[in-house]
Structure formats: structure tokens, C-alpha cells
Amino acid sequence: MTVQEIREKIQAGLPGSEVEIQDPYNDGVHIKAIVKFSGFAGKSIVEQHRMVYATLKDELKAEVHALGLETKV
Amino acid sequence: MDKELQDKIKGLIDSKKIFLFMKGTPDAPMCGFSAGVTNVLRSLGADYNSFNVLSDQNVREGIKEFANWPTIPQLYIDGEFIGGHDIVVEMAKSGELQKKIGA
């Protein structure tokens, strides 16, 4: 799964979100996603992260376990 | 999830005020994110128990469903799911985690 595909998946699941993907080691494994989404408003940080995870359900099952996450409203 | 597994997970979480599901052990974490959380807890002097999910495939899969959270580590305080690595680090930075631990 490429960085581009991860970005598209998140944006498809959270329409209107801004997604920045960082791949500091350029290995496609230790990825960090910074997601800015108006729909996070009023939600706890746990709920915000769950919403992002939900868009990557299948990928996370396949153990893309090194996904860092930062969410912003 | 069957009741036996659910009870086992719940029993672990309830066994200590602060409980961490992780890969490896606090002295020998097997994943960078698990290591990161144990570092935060150590820096705060937290008294916690942990469970190595690599030792039990049922618990490893079961807690993902239990918490509706797809990744490990998972931190619980007073039986409440707090979050994974990023949330724990963020809460420690803001001082919120210290409050929860001390409360």
C-alpha cells in the first residue's frame, strides 16, 4: 500500500479532510498521517482517531501497525 | 468475541489502576510504539501492569474488538480505554495523563 493510497482512503472516508502523510524513513512502513477534518469538532481524541482508523480498516488488519496519527479540527 | 475471552480481558484491565497491553514487556518492548508508551509511563513514575499480546493470539485479536481500536499498544486507566501511542504521548505533553494517573 502506497502513501498515496493511504491518503486517498482517508480522504474518501472523511470527505473534505486535509491529509498529510509523512514517511520519515521513506520505507512505506513507519507512516504518520496528519488529518485535519471539520467533522472532528466536538469529538474526543479517541473518537477522532477511531474515525480515521475506520477508513483504513482492511489495511490495519493486514498489520500496517506502524501508523502514527495526529488529528486536528 | 466469546464471553470467556471478554472476561479474561476485563479481568486483566481491572487488575490494576493502570494497565497496558503491549508487544513485549516493559523491559524488552518488541515494537517502537510499545516502547514509546513504556517510556512515557516510566518518566511519570507510573505503577502499572502490562500484558504481552505476543504471548497470546486470542488476547492480541480480542482487545482490538474489545476497545474498538485496531492497534497495540492500548492503555487503560481505572478500567477506561485511554488510547494508543500517539494519544498517550500527546496527553503526557499536555499534562492530562499526569492528572489521570494521579487522580
Side-chain angles (χ1 to χ4, degrees):
Chain A
M1 162 144 250
T2 66
V3 166
Q4 180 60 26
E5 285 169 328
I6 291 176
R7 183 190 296 115
E8 284 168 4
K9 278 247 168 185
I10 295 174
Q11 283 178 325
L14 304 175
S17 60
E18 290 171 35
V19 182
E20 179 192 339
I21 308 278
Q22 296 174 349
D23 185 6
Y25 302 103
N26 202 29
D27 62 1
V29 176
H30 299 88
I31 286 170
K32 179 172 181 180
I34 301 170
V35 184
K36 188 166 185 274
F37 181 50
S38 58
F40 290 149
K43 300 228 165 36
S44 73
I45 183 170
V46 167
E47 287 307 323
Q48 292 174 12
H49 283 219
R50 277 187 180 132
M51 287 164 74
V52 178
Y53 283 140
T55 69
L56 297 169
K57 221 170 175 208
D58 299 333
E59 290 71 25
L60 289 163
K61 261 188 205 142
E63 286 292 311
V64 180
H65 87 274
L67 177 76
L69 211 49
E70 185 180 329
T71 52
K72 300 175 190 177
V73 177
Chain B
M1 183 179 355
D2 67 47
K3 189 168 184 317
E4 197 182 325
L5 179 57
Q6 192 160 355
D7 287 348
K8 180 178 180 177
I9 290 171
K10 193 149 187 344
L12 285 167
I13 292 168
D14 290 342
S15 70
K16 191 86 175 173
K17 178 183 170 70
I18 307 171
F19 196 88
L20 176 67
F21 291 93
M22 65 180 292
K23 293 180 178 170
T25 63
D27 290 331
M30 299 295 286
C31 132
F33 287 152
S34 288
V37 172
T38 59
N39 283 342
V40 168
L41 293 174
R42 186 178 303 122
S43 73
L44 300 179
D47 177 24
Y48 67 100
N49 280 352
S50 67
F51 184 86
N52 178 4
V53 300
L54 300 179
S55 72
D56 189 324
Q57 189 63 26
N58 288 333
V59 172
R60 180 176 181 174
E61 291 310 315
I63 56 163
K64 296 179 183 175
E65 193 183 325
F66 185 90
N68 184 24
W69 192 260
T71 54
I72 293 154
Q74 292 185 6
L75 182 68
Y76 293 79
I77 299 177
D78 291 324
E80 179 201 353
F81 174 67
I82 299 299
H85 171 268
D86 302 321
I87 291 178
V88 168
V89 168
E90 205 163 308
M91 286 176 75
K93 268 189 207 153
S94 72
E96 210 180 324
L97 191 65
Q98 290 83 332
K99 259 185 236 160
K100 280 206 182 269
I101 286 174

